[in-house]
Amino acid sequence: MTMNLEVPKKFLPLVGQAHQVAEEIFRPVSRKYDQEEHAYPRELDMLAALLDGMNDGSDMGGGAGAGGVRRQENSNGEIRNGSNMSTALGVAELCWGDVGLLLTMPRQGLGNSAIASVANDEQLERFRGKWAAMAITEPEAGSDSAAIRTTAVLDRETGEYVLNGEKIYVTSGERADLVVVWATLDRSLGRAAIKSFVVERSNPGMILDRLEHKLGIRASDTAAFRLENCRVKPENLLGSPEVDVKRGFAGVMQTFDNTRPLVAAMAVGLTRACLEQTKELLAEAGVEVDYDKPAQSQPAAAAEYLSMEADYEAARLLTLEATWMADNSKPNSLQASYAKAKAGRTCVDVAMRCVRLAGSRGYGEELLLEKWARDGKILDIFEGTQQIQLLIIARQLLGKTSAELR
């Protein structure tokens, strides 16, 4: 199979619609909800309903939101550009508008991606139309997901699982209808016993502790929960209830193979926003970027811009590659980490360099550059930090296990 990483023609209408939303809805209220942290953006309710319609009407099963990713078998061998790529392209355009607003859009959370990635058909139907957050991180388990301490004990009398533990940094945790919680069936069995449970936000055993005050993405609420004898129906377990020591926790980790390219797409969109704004400011200052001249023969600001743009293109292409592989039923764990590592680091680096190039205008609130620099940092952290992505890449390239290379 060969890849053509130009934007497929059939996705151009979707990309155009997503860009229109970013430009006409997200950008005008971006600063407002950055300053009014924890205020719910009511403008998104009608937009979410529109996006649901776009996704339902798509013949690819995907759309502009995070709930569209799902890996399907490609048995006929035809090359396919499907829901993973279309979703990433839509997400990138929306994040050109505002990352925090995308993250707080109803029914478009990373929990929705987790459900779309691994749920069975009955669960997909039952959770359709629900907004799902994702709860993985704990006070003692950040980058090392296998160190999760939240427990899920089967009550054999009722058949329910009883969850106990603590979860932090849950994006959209207060506003979502559902929370996908990672918990272990038996800590002595290590990562193989970690499973995903879909918990109703109204469950009395899921107690909201606090909402975090953050550096960026302030339009999005980030919650901390306690799980105290939280009872979950067995049919809300995603994947098999059996503990397969040989397979490890590949089932729950499969979620990351779909969501990491989405976070990379978020970073790609935000990076492009920074570059476009900076190019306009350079032009106002009389600095033109000439693509026909070597960088070293141009003004220093133009040369730096070309360097940033090259990193952006690399991140964009790696992201499209990871989504294309998912659409064509190819293992993409390595490529997902490539994309996440490159796009996350590029976003942070480019945003800060753009602030510097813009001088006092970049540092002030007249423009959105300083906000984008703050928003960009999370894209290098959640869904696996920069350092963890590099560790995953090194293990796969060197053929080492997690025990051999830590």
Side-chain angles (χ1 to χ4, degrees):
M1 286 187 180
T2 57
M3 283 177 280
N4 181 351
L5 291 176
E6 295 296 320
V7 176
K9 289 182 179 179
K10 66 179 180 178
F11 295 155
L12 290 177
L14 169 71
V15 171
Q17 288 174 323
H19 186 79
Q20 186 176 8
V21 167
E23 186 172 36
E24 297 181 9
I25 299 178
F26 282 13
R27 283 278 180 98
V29 299
S30 183
R31 179 67 71 185
K32 172 185 176 182
Y33 287 108
D34 179 57
Q35 294 173 338
E36 297 178 10
E37 187 173 14
H38 300 154
Y40 177 66
R42 294 293 172 192
E43 295 89 339
L44 299 186
D45 286 338
M46 184 179 296
L47 177 60
L50 175 63
L51 190 58
D52 289 340
M54 288 167 58
N55 290 347
D56 290 341
S58 170
D59 60 359
M60 296 161 293
V69 294
R70 186 164 177 83
R71 189 176 293 254
Q72 297 172 332
E73 291 303 316
N74 190 9
S75 56
N76 58 14
E78 293 180 359
I79 295 175
R80 180 170 60 192
N81 295 315
S83 64
N84 288 277
M85 183 178 286
S86 68
T87 300
L89 290 169
V91 162
E93 290 300 323
L94 292 172
C95 286
W96 176 91
D98 191 278
V99 177
L101 290 173
L102 170 74
L103 288 171
T104 201
M105 280 187 62
R107 298 176 294 284
Q108 305 301 328
L110 291 172
N112 290 95
S113 296
I115 292 172
S117 296
V118 297
N120 59 38
D121 291 340
E122 184 275 331
Q123 289 171 328
L124 281 175
E125 185 60 33
R126 184 153 45 90
F127 299 135
R128 182 184 299 277
K130 299 287 185 70
W131 185 359
M134 190 112 138
I136 300 175
T137 306
E138 300 179 1
E140 293 84 15
S143 295
D144 185 7
S145 300
I148 281 173
R149 297 186 180 186
T150 297
T151 58
V153 178
L154 180 63
D155 183 337
R156 299 196 179 278
E157 289 188 11
T158 65
E160 297 173 316
Y161 288 94
V162 182
L163 276 58
N164 282 283
E166 186 177 357
K167 293 293 180 181
I168 59 175
Y169 301 135
V170 182
T171 301
S172 299
E174 182 190 32
R175 300 169 183 166
D177 305 307
L178 310 169
V179 181
V180 178
V181 177
W182 281 26
T184 178
L185 298 179
D186 186 340
R187 288 185 61 189
S188 68
L189 296 178
R191 61 186 63 208
I194 295 175
K195 301 293 180 180
S196 298
F197 297 86
V198 180
V199 182
E200 297 279 349
R201 178 64 187 83
S202 57
N203 191 312
M206 175 171 273
I207 302 164
L208 176 66
D209 255 356
R210 65 185 182 277
L211 295 179
E212 306 291 354
H213 294 278
K214 308 186 298 296
L215 172 73
I217 59 165
R218 292 176 176 171
S220 170
D221 67 295
T222 303
F225 288 104
R226 283 178 290 120
L227 297 157
E228 296 184 355
N229 295 321
C230 181
R231 291 186 167 270
V232 180
K233 297 180 291 186
E235 55 266 32
N236 280 21
L237 185 151
L238 297 177
S240 170
E242 301 301 321
V243 177
D244 187 342
V245 177
K246 291 183 179 179
R247 190 163 182 254
F249 68 155
V252 291
M253 287 300 287
Q254 180 185 330
T255 300
F256 285 138
D257 295 343
N258 283 8
T259 58
R260 281 174 176 159
L262 283 190
V263 176
M266 294 177 192
V268 166
L270 183 54
T271 303
R272 197 181 95 227
C274 294
L275 288 172
E276 289 179 0
Q277 177 77 85
T278 302
K279 194 172 186 179
E280 290 177 8
L281 294 174
L282 291 177
E284 288 177 18
V287 178
E288 295 291 340
V289 179
D290 190 337
Y291 293 95
D292 294 325
K293 286 184 180 180
Q296 62 267 27
S297 64
Q298 298 191 51
E304 183 163 7
Y305 182 89
L306 288 169
S307 171
M308 294 190 295
E309 197 170 59
D311 277 337
Y312 161 76
E313 283 295 334
R316 184 180 71 86
L317 293 173
L318 285 169
T319 301
L320 290 179
E321 180 189 28
T323 61
W324 182 89
M325 293 183 74
D327 282 334
N328 287 277
S329 305
K330 289 178 171 290
N332 73 331
S333 179
L334 177 62
Q335 287 72 22
S337 287
Y338 279 155
K340 172 67 170 61
K342 179 63 177 177
R345 180 169 59 187
T346 295
C347 183
V348 174
D349 180 54
V350 167
M352 293 303 295
R353 290 164 74 182
C354 286
V355 167
R356 185 176 71 240
L357 283 174
S360 60
R361 295 185 70 187
Y363 193 70
E365 292 188 354
E366 171 197 356
L367 305 175
L368 289 171
L369 271 176
E370 63 83 24
K371 176 186 180 300
W372 293 338
R374 290 186 284 109
D375 288 348
K377 184 57 185 174
I378 191 60
L379 301 176
D380 201 30
I381 297 175
F382 70 0
E383 295 298 290
T385 65
Q386 172 72 211
Q387 294 76 14
I388 289 298
Q389 301 311 313
L390 296 179
L391 188 56
I392 292 170
I393 291 166
R395 285 171 184 163
Q396 294 209 32
L397 293 180
L398 299 175
K400 301 288 187 181
T401 65
S402 57
E404 292 171 325
L405 187 60
R406 304 174 71 103

